[in-house]
Amino acid sequence: MALLGILLVAAAAGVTCDTFTPRVPPPPEQNICGFSGVENPQFIEPLSPEVLRGNVQLAFECPRTEFYEQSLKLPENGAPGFVYIPDSGADALAPGFFDGWDVESEVQFAVNLLDSPAQRVVERMVGDVAVNDTLLLELTTLEIPTFFDTGQLPGTNDARYEVEYELTLTFAGENGTRTELVEVYCGRAFWDLTGGDRNFWTLLRWEDLEPRPQRPCSETMGVLRIKEG
């Protein structure tokens, strides 16, 4: 009974606070970069490959899937648009899954992951009873520490960049549960960029490679695309 009384008092105090304490209204949702809290996130005109990289990072971390869509090359005048090529491990995991993976597939993957948002179900023990917790994606960070032009593509309009990336997803429990799950996806990739002659770089081709052995993960974003695609 004493515990019940404390809880009732605490609840009453909470109501009083909500009723009589002025609260600053939250800023408009469009001005907050949801996961990282960056204020007023903006898509920056991709005048250079480095700016394109920043827009991609912002798209995954905020999230702003529209920024990612703007970063992908669309089919135009008979020319092909964005394609994704999985690493061998992801391809073997789901043969045929990536056949015909185009810009629409890639945008849908981003929407499923970030806008839904992604969910995971994990089991925990409460005494002797197994309980399933539904976790929702709470935090996303995308690091791209390696990003350089390989010089393999001629001319000024196209460029092939070697990329190393590390995408960390943190899932947290609903209804105040303390359960947390962290997934890390990393790898190397070739990003074929196009649009240098127009000063508007976009991502034409993402080819995933196997992660380096010393990296703290065993799965690439190809595996994540299978989970969320």
Side-chain angles (χ1 to χ4, degrees), residues 100-123:
W101 190 281
D102 58 8
V103 64
E104 291 185 5
S105 307
E106 187 72 3
V107 171
Q108 189 61 54
F109 152 67
V111 168
N112 292 347
L113 175 68
L114 302 170
D115 289 353
S116 297
Q119 299 183 15
R120 298 289 184 265
V121 177
V122 298
E123 184 180 282

Side-chain angles (χ1 to χ4, degrees), residues 3 14 40 67 76 92 122 132 143 152 156 183-184 194 202 227:
L3 177 59
N40 196 28
F67 292 0
E76 185 179 20
V122 298
N132 287 334
E143 298 180 9
Q152 294 177 328
T156 57
E183 296 178 350
V184 181
T194 190
T202 54
K227 291 181 180 179

Side-chain angles (χ1 to χ4, degrees), residues 26-94:
E29 184 178 354
Q30 64 268 23
N31 290 336
I32 290 296
C33 193
F35 285 146
S36 66
V38 173
E39 294 185 4
N40 196 28
Q42 298 289 327
F43 180 86
I44 302 175
E45 188 175 0
L47 300 177
S48 71
E50 288 73 22
V51 175
L52 172 65
R53 174 185 59 180
N55 285 335
V56 170
Q57 289 178 283
L58 197 63
F60 276 89
E61 291 191 345
C62 284
R64 284 293 187 271
T65 50
E66 67 271 23
F67 292 0
Y68 192 47
E69 185 172 5
Q70 290 173 273
S71 300
L72 303 177
K73 179 68 172 66
L74 300 176
E76 185 179 20
N77 298 326
F82 172 85
V83 295
Y84 173 71
I85 308 299
D87 58 284
S88 59
D91 193 39
L93 191 62

